[in-house]
Amino acid sequence: MSKDIILIIGANGQLGSVLIKELQTIHGIHKVIASDVYSVPNFEGIFELLDATDKAAIHEIVKQYSVTQIYHLAAILSAKGEEQPLWTWDLNMKMMLNVFEVARLTAINKVFFPSSIAVFGDQAPLENTPQSAFLNPATVYGISKAAGENWAQYYFTNYGLDIRSIRYPGVIGYQSMPGGGTTDYAVDIYHSAVKKETYGCFLSADTKLPMVFMADAIRATVELMEAPKENIKTRTAYNIGAMSFNPGEIFAEIKKVYPTFEVEYQPDFRQDIANKWPKSIDDSEARNDWNWEPKYNLKLMTALMLEKLEDKYNTIKSK
Ligand code: AKB
């Protein structure tokens, strides 16, 4: 069993709520401290209420539990962020810099900070977007992630702080719901299909975006964090790719299982965000440096999403 004590900030979010279980399995349930600004009922493990804009509060938890690693997952995402740009910037930057500063001043040996494909804008090639493409993000969320990547590089260069990061594409899982993102449609659509509702899609049928299944996203995170330090050549954030599809293609895949399922396309402001994001990702550096390799494609993921969501809704009905 590992000697590390892990603090997860944003443990109730889409990724955090799944990652926490994986980290509990790897490190032991008493070695993982989950934290968020709100609590969830029946949480199994150690949980602390934590507002990450309060640096002293983060410091206190790190001291209290002798934390050695932090996964900082809390952020306002792309679509929600556009509603209140300055508030989003303040919040995302403050939480992140608080985490980096506490890590610098304590015995933290590794930090995980998620970045996103939102760092790219219309100056980057849309297909096979390279690791080192020019970054001109069009959303406040993307700007905050691009700044965060540069801060990660700065803390590594100047203080030797081992911060590791991934530019996540849209993450799709049955365990948790995303909130406030532009790629959220690719989770919502499965829920509508299983509930036998018509889905109102906020992106057009041909809007291709890169996506990753939750199991692959979690494995990527753990593999990056466990990779030997000398293998980590990118100190901003790694591109990872897994699959790319558009709403029309995911609809067609679902329709094979639910022939009566229907989608209505009602593009809104999120269409403009998606239009500037990569359609597919060149992740050769992640593959070379820490052997990243996705396992799920659209077909495999759809089969699993529908099976697991059917179980979930049937259990709810039978209660
Ligand atoms: C979003 O849509 O904002 C996120 C992301 C791609 O970072 N899912």
Side-chain angles (χ1 to χ4, degrees):
M1 197 142 286
S2 109
K3 289 200 188 85
D4 281 308
I5 313 278
I6 316 287
L7 170 63
I8 304 192
I9 298 175
N12 296 338
Q14 187 201 12
L15 196 66
S17 56
V18 186
L19 184 63
I20 189 121
K21 296 202 173 73
E22 183 67 18
L23 294 177
Q24 284 174 336
T25 306
I26 296 171
H27 298 275
I29 196 159
H30 302 298
K31 301 267 181 74
V32 179
I33 296 99
S35 73
D36 211 308
V37 274
Y38 66 96
S39 57
V40 286
N42 307 322
F43 181 83
E44 277 178 46
I46 307 169
F47 184 88
E48 290 283 347
L49 273 179
L50 175 64
D51 173 358
T53 63
D54 182 348
K55 186 161 69 181
I58 304 175
H59 204 153
E60 200 43 51
I61 290 178
V62 167
K63 267 197 317 197
Q64 184 188 341
Y65 291 95
S66 306
V67 171
T68 61
Q69 291 188 5
I70 303 181
Y71 288 68
H72 170 51
L73 306 178
I76 306 296
L77 300 191
S78 58
K80 186 164 174 49
E82 295 308 284
E83 288 166 15
Q84 291 188 66
L86 294 185
W87 171 76
T88 300
W89 170 259
D90 276 350
L91 203 70
N92 285 358
M93 295 312 290
K94 190 161 196 177
M95 294 191 294
M96 181 203 74
L97 287 172
N98 282 347
V99 170
F100 290 179
E101 266 305 277
V102 169
R104 177 177 78 83
L105 298 168
T106 57
I108 299 295
N109 61 44
K110 255 183 238 172
V111 175
F112 181 77
F113 163 72
S115 187
S116 160
I117 54 159
V119 295
F120 297 113
D122 58 8
Q123 299 295 306
L126 291 183
E127 289 288 357
N128 281 325
T129 309
Q131 177 71 46
S132 56
F134 183 73
L135 304 185
N136 66 321
T139 59
V140 183
Y141 168 66
I143 297 171
S144 72
K145 289 297 181 190
E149 290 189 5
N150 287 310
W151 275 110
Q153 171 80 68
Y154 180 92
Y155 270 78
F156 176 72
T157 308
N158 291 285
Y159 307 121
L161 186 60
D162 190 355
I163 304 175
R164 303 183 182 194
S165 181
I166 284 172
R167 290 173 179 155
Y168 291 105
V171 178
I172 302 171
Y174 52 84
Q175 303 94 325
S176 54
M177 294 301 285
T182 304
T183 56
D184 295 9
Y185 92 85
V187 178
D188 299 342
I189 195 169
Y190 287 111
H191 285 261
S192 289
V194 173
K195 289 195 279 182
K196 307 214 168 357
E197 292 167 355
T198 298
Y199 180 61
C201 185
F202 56 77
L203 298 180
S204 65
D206 60 352
T207 310
K208 182 175 156 193
L209 288 170
M211 303 279 179
V212 63
F213 188 48
M214 181 64 85
D216 276 338
I218 297 291
R219 195 169 44 77
T221 311
V222 169
E223 285 176 0
L224 172 64
M225 286 299 270
E226 286 181 351
K229 196 171 176 183
E230 60 277 12
N231 289 22
I232 309 301
K233 309 270 172 15
T234 294
R235 285 295 174 175
T236 48
Y238 278 98
N239 279 7
I240 63 159
M243 60 184 110
S244 286
F245 55 79
N246 63 39
E249 287 165 324
I250 193 170
F251 170 55
E253 203 55 43
I254 295 173
K255 227 168 148 65
K256 289 181 191 163
V257 184
Y258 293 95
T260 58
F261 179 51
E262 291 302 335
V263 171
E264 283 167 9
Y265 295 99
Q266 305 150 347
D268 65 16
F269 72 100
R270 288 167 279 194
Q271 184 68 51
D272 292 336
I273 298 177
N275 288 346
K276 295 186 181 124
W277 281 1
K279 296 181 188 305
S280 59
I281 296 290
D282 174 354
D283 58 4
S284 38
E285 297 193 21
R287 287 173 189 260
N288 287 339
D289 292 358
W290 43 278
N291 301 321
W292 159 244
E293 196 177 2
K295 295 206 168 116
Y296 288 86
N297 58 23
L298 177 59
K299 195 175 157 62
L300 280 175
M301 175 178 78
T302 299
L304 213 58
M305 284 295 287
L306 295 177
E307 182 196 318
K308 296 287 186 184
L309 288 178
E310 272 178 34
D311 288 351
K312 195 172 192 162
Y313 284 110
N314 284 338
T315 315
I316 294 170
K317 260 196 246 156
S318 65
K319 273 189 182 162

